[in-house]
Amino acid sequence: MTAAVSIRAPAPAVTERSPFVRLGAVGKTFANGVEALRGVDLDIRRGEFLSLLGPSGCGKSTILRLLAGLTGPSRGSIDWISTNHDLGFVFQEPTLTPWANVFDNVWLPLRLAGVSKASARPRVEEMLAKVGLAGFERAYPRQLSGGMKMRVSIARALVTRPAVLLMDEPFAALDEITRMRLNDDLVALKCELDATVVFVTHSVFESVYLSDRIVVMAPRPGRVVAEVHVPHPSPRDEEFRLGAGYAGICRETSLALHNAMGVVAVSGGIATA
Ligand code: ADP
């Protein structure tokens, strides 16, 4: 098994924060015998934006599902150090209720917690404004673009003000321009709400733009093989995206990902190791 390596010096702002949840030697083997995760040691720190980056099948979604308590580990432990670990979950598909309007979709988690429509109104409207959808309360999902539907999904996940936001490739199905806008807005929102975010992606560029720290994973069995720190303050903007620092970290992350996939870069191309 490849040992985890630190590619970059840790960013003090993130490493100084206390762990929020700790995965210790976590393994997961499904009933069909697939070993999805082996020996995952991972501290997720309060307020950090952590990306899980890796090829399909390396266990990224399984880590999110373990954190959400949707499945249990086969080996090892998951210890929540924080007493408040309310979760919000955003999936790749917005999963909106088609016959409910935007307001009712965002109200749903509050309604399930027993909050009436009238009491929920200020919170729902505030969250819709934060994701750039003020005035769209009465629209139905079919009237919205893909990016707008994802904004509704994010507002729904955040309306209960969860301490942790789990996001499973939320922007993968969106076009590049929409994706960049949502990346910008997510960074700003995360700073404003001071939430902890665990974000699954297979995009190097997206992970570097968004994250304080990127955990690179390899498949068969799923495991952590590298960590990349992004020591640039948030919120970030176009200047960061166009700068040499961003390009350099993207290159490092790309190399770590290629190594994780058992592939090494050679001049003029890529060769299998
Ligand atoms: P990723 O999110 O990185 O694509 P997943 O966590 O979805 O990876 O899956 C890791 C491995 O576990 C894959 O080989 C996948 O097929 C397998 N897997 C995921 N969920 C299940 C399940 N419920 N039953 C059996 N195998 C599963």
Side-chain angles (χ1 to χ4, degrees):
M1 187 184 124
T2 319
V5 289
S6 185
I7 304 285
R8 244 175 193 264
V14 172
T15 50
E16 278 167 13
R17 294 188 180 218
S18 54
F20 190 82
V21 55
R22 174 164 284 163
L23 280 69
V26 165
K28 177 72 184 177
T29 303
F30 286 103
N32 62 359
V34 171
E35 189 179 5
L37 294 172
R38 182 189 289 177
V40 173
D41 290 311
L42 181 63
D43 278 1
I44 300 170
R45 302 191 186 95
R46 188 180 306 280
E48 84 172 319
F49 197 119
L50 177 85
S51 283
L52 304 175
L53 174 73
S56 284
C58 68
K60 305 181 296 294
S61 299
T62 302
I63 290 186
L64 285 197
R65 293 172 61 78
L66 285 165
L67 289 170
L70 296 172
T71 187
S74 312
R75 291 165 297 282
S77 56
I78 299 175
D79 295 314
W80 290 91
I81 290 121
S82 164
T83 47
N84 172 13
H85 51 267
D86 295 342
L87 300 167
F89 212 130
V90 177
F91 302 92
Q92 182 172 341
E93 294 299 324
T95 62
L96 304 179
T97 307
W99 57 85
N101 65 21
V102 165
F103 183 99
D104 287 350
N105 267 286
V106 176
W107 171 38
L108 179 69
L110 293 173
R111 194 176 59 152
L112 293 175
V115 182
S116 72
K117 194 163 188 167
S119 326
R121 185 165 296 281
R123 275 195 271 175
V124 172
E125 286 178 350
E126 184 197 2
M127 202 46 73
L128 283 172
K130 282 191 196 303
V131 298
L133 286 181
F136 284 88
E137 289 82 355
R138 288 164 186 268
Y140 283 85
R142 65 177 178 278
Q143 299 171 301
L144 305 177
S145 67
M148 290 164 89
K149 284 184 203 159
M150 187 47 73
R151 288 174 186 277
V152 177
S153 176
I154 293 170
R156 184 183 55 190
L158 289 173
V159 76
T160 55
R161 297 283 180 147
V164 192
L165 183 60
L166 305 176
M167 306 185 84
D168 197 351
E169 298 202 45
F171 308 144
L174 303 175
D175 66 80
E176 194 64 19
I177 305 287
T178 305
R179 191 169 180 156
M180 282 201 268
R181 283 208 189 107
L182 276 159
N183 281 174
D184 285 341
D185 292 352
L186 179 61
V187 168
L189 202 56
K190 186 256 163 205
C191 289
E192 194 182 329
L193 300 177
D194 198 28
T196 303
V197 182
V198 186
F199 188 94
V200 164
T201 181
H202 50 245
S203 162
V204 166
F205 302 108
E206 183 171 72
S207 68
V208 175
Y209 187 69
L210 293 173
S211 313
D212 297 306
R213 189 161 60 110
I214 301 159
V215 168
V216 182
M217 298 182 67
R220 291 182 294 279
R223 62 207 190 275
V224 174
V225 290
E227 250 187 53
V228 179
H229 290 260
V230 188
H232 192 284
S234 291
R236 296 165 185 172
D237 53 20
E238 208 51 27
E239 203 180 321
F240 173 62
R241 202 183 254 128
L242 297 173
Y246 175 69
I249 301 171
C250 286
R251 185 178 151 70
E252 288 176 20
T253 309
S254 222
L255 282 171
L257 185 60
H258 284 147
N259 287 336
M261 294 163 69
V263 171
V264 290
V266 294
S267 59
I270 300 284
T272 304

